[in-house]
Amino acid sequence: MKASLRPVRQDIAQLGIQRSRMPVRDLLWEAALSVLSHPGRSLVTVIGTILGAAAFVASLGLGSTLNQQVSAAFDARRATEVLVQPEDPELTKTWLGDAALDRLTRLNGVVAAGRRVSLGEQPMRRTIDSLAAPTGVPLIGADPAALRVMAPQLTVGRSFGDFHERDATQVIMLSDAVARQLGIHRTGVAIFVADKPYTVIGIFHDVIRRPEAMAAAIVPFSVASRLDEAAGGQPATRDVLVETAPGAAQLIGRQAPLALRPEAPAELRAVAPPDPRTLRREIEDSTTRSTLLISGVALLMGTVSIGNAATAGIAARTGEIGLRRAVGARRRHIFGQLVLETAVLGGLGGAIGALLGVLATSVVSIVNGWAPVIEIRSALVACAISTVAGLLAGLVPAARAARVPPVQALQR
């Protein structure tokens, strides 16, 4: 009798060993079947992860794109300017000659360079009537090259050119603020500067460089020089305004005094903007921190969402879990399958969200005329984080489901 029971006991023991072992391949297969057999439930579970991953990729992509746009705008407008001034205002004007400017413009990195003279406030009237109270307006003389460097943005009219400079034509450009003070709204009218008539040729509302021009009037350099000589007062302030290629301002700032006055470069002072890399790095760091914070919050919300959905889904599957336990599935089998399901859902949601984030970044950049900056690494990171988030979100509900007794689960 004992001999006949031995094979049965061995079969039972062998069956128990087989039941206690479940290959990872089978767990993955069961998890995939569960996900695909209930698409509606899977979509509800994964929607938070999709949104979180999409926000992660889109915020990082748009942050990088904005960094590039801000850096490019800074280089083009503020970090491409050098101002050369004499240490002594009464220094001889030979350093402003055509030969000196020709040497300066031949330097590698110089885009344009021109002469300016600032005369301070000058009395301006709309009429020649001497009884009318004049308006004191700063007057700047600039040759066409310096005017191109300043780059006034015209509201109406035009800029003066080489003809006006060569013939010392008495034309004038007004900023919006000065034009309003003088009651001028169009070009072609005359104003009187020191009782001499000047034709308003243009009105501008902004300048790319030298913001002090926004409260001034601009005339050709030759006209301002004659006005200065006729006034006979304090010497005017003369300088050379240089536009450089992006990244060349510091180098041109060191070379410009030598090019303009090789016999005594120490008599000139070049004012160059600070190295833009420091400001660019600060802007990029601030933007990156902000986008990472937003992305982290979005992914955290996705994790909470998938955890809540997984908990509700597992509660609805209590009968299925009890049946699996009744036919021999162990607690670790139930736990492993449910955790793998949430991990697969998290990875799937991360992939879909990464694609949506890339699409959103591209659309926003194209609409605004930007060059989109898309890093594949951020999309891969989003998928990996979403997978891990799904795995972590499923730990607690899976552990609770694995502890439910089979009989109690079947009774629900």
Side-chain angles (χ1 to χ4, degrees):
M1 183 68 178
K2 292 182 179 180
S4 61
L5 291 176
R6 186 175 302 168
V8 176
R9 291 174 180 174
Q10 291 176 352
D11 292 341
I12 294 175
Q14 186 67 26
L15 181 60
I17 294 174
Q18 291 176 354
R19 287 180 174 179
S20 64
R21 295 176 181 177
M22 190 174 184
V24 177
R25 181 181 66 255
D26 294 342
L27 285 175
L28 289 173
W29 178 252
E30 290 289 338
L33 286 178
S34 178
V35 170
L36 296 176
S37 60
H38 300 85
R41 185 181 66 194
S42 300
L43 180 61
V44 171
T45 305
V46 81
I47 190 68
T49 308
I50 293 176
L51 296 178
F56 179 84
V57 175
S59 57
L60 288 181
L62 290 175
S64 300
T65 302
L66 288 174
N67 281 339
Q68 185 184 49
Q69 298 303 315
V70 170
S71 298
F74 181 82
D75 287 343
R77 294 185 173 219
R78 297 291 179 256
T80 56
E81 171 192 333
V82 175
L83 186 68
V84 185
Q85 300 172 319
E87 295 285 358
D88 184 3
E90 298 184 358
L91 180 66
T92 176
K93 302 175 185 177
T94 56
W95 69 280
L96 291 170
D98 292 338
L101 282 178
D102 184 61
R103 289 193 300 270
L104 177 60
T105 54
R106 288 204 304 265
L107 292 177
N108 186 26
V110 173
V111 177
R115 294 163 286 205
R116 292 195 319 163
V117 56
S118 299
L119 301 182
E121 286 194 357
Q122 299 293 318
M124 295 188 186
R125 294 185 180 92
R126 178 70 187 274
T127 67
I128 199 172
D129 184 6
S130 60
L131 297 179
T135 301
V137 177
L139 188 65
I140 298 174
D143 65 16
L147 193 63
R148 284 194 296 272
V149 176
M150 295 167 67
Q153 308 297 295
L154 292 170
T155 301
V156 63
R158 53 165 292 188
S159 301
F160 52 79
D162 294 332
F163 168 79
H164 304 92
E165 175 66 26
R166 183 175 59 253
D167 292 355
T169 308
Q170 292 186 181
V171 294
I172 192 168
M173 298 177 63
L174 306 177
S175 68
D176 272 344
V178 174
R180 285 194 298 270
Q181 279 184 310
L182 297 173
I184 295 174
H185 306 286
R186 61 186 179 88
T187 60
V189 300
I191 64 172
F192 294 86
V193 181
D195 295 329
K196 292 184 178 181
Y198 289 77
T199 301
V200 177
I201 193 175
I203 299 174
F204 57 92
H205 63 272
D206 194 11
V207 291
I208 299 298
R209 299 175 186 85
R210 308 313 305 173
E212 66 270 14
M214 289 302 301
I218 307 175
V219 297
F221 181 82
S222 57
V223 174
S225 297
R226 290 184 182 181
L227 189 61
D228 178 42
E229 293 172 358
Q234 291 185 345
T237 302
R238 286 175 166 79
D239 53 45
V240 169
L241 190 58
V242 185
E243 178 186 357
T244 71
Q250 295 292 319
L251 177 62
I252 298 303
R254 294 191 296 267
Q255 295 177 347
L258 184 61
L260 290 170
R261 193 168 176 81
E263 68 277 10
E267 294 180 354
L268 300 178
R269 177 178 69 255
V271 180
D275 191 345
R277 287 178 295 182
T278 302
L279 179 57
R280 183 187 298 112
R281 191 178 300 113
E282 292 177 357
I283 293 173
E284 290 176 350
D285 290 345
S286 298
T287 308
T288 301
R289 284 195 297 269
S290 300
T291 53
L292 285 176
L293 179 61
I294 296 172
S295 303
V297 171
L299 282 178
L300 179 60
M301 292 173 61
T303 303
V304 174
S305 174
I306 196 173
N308 291 336
T311 301
I314 290 171
R317 298 167 60 190
T318 304
E320 173 193 340
I321 294 171
L323 181 60
R324 289 178 179 272
R325 291 292 308 276
V327 298
R330 299 302 180 100
R331 288 184 176 179
R332 60 175 176 271
H333 299 154
I334 301 298
F335 178 81
Q337 179 185 339
L338 297 178
V339 168
L340 280 176
E341 285 183 19
T342 56
V344 168
L345 288 172
L348 183 62
I352 298 174
L355 291 176
L356 293 177
V358 170
L359 180 61
T361 302
S362 302
V363 170
V364 172
S365 300
I366 292 173
V367 169
N368 289 278
W370 302 337
V373 178
I374 300 173
E375 296 184 3
I376 301 300
R377 181 175 57 183
S378 63
L380 297 177
V381 169
C383 293
I385 293 178
S386 298
T387 303
V388 174
L391 188 147
L392 296 177
L395 290 178
V396 174
R400 291 177 178 173
R403 289 198 300 267
V404 176
V407 176
Q408 183 180 348
L410 289 172
Q411 290 175 348
R412 292 184 182 180

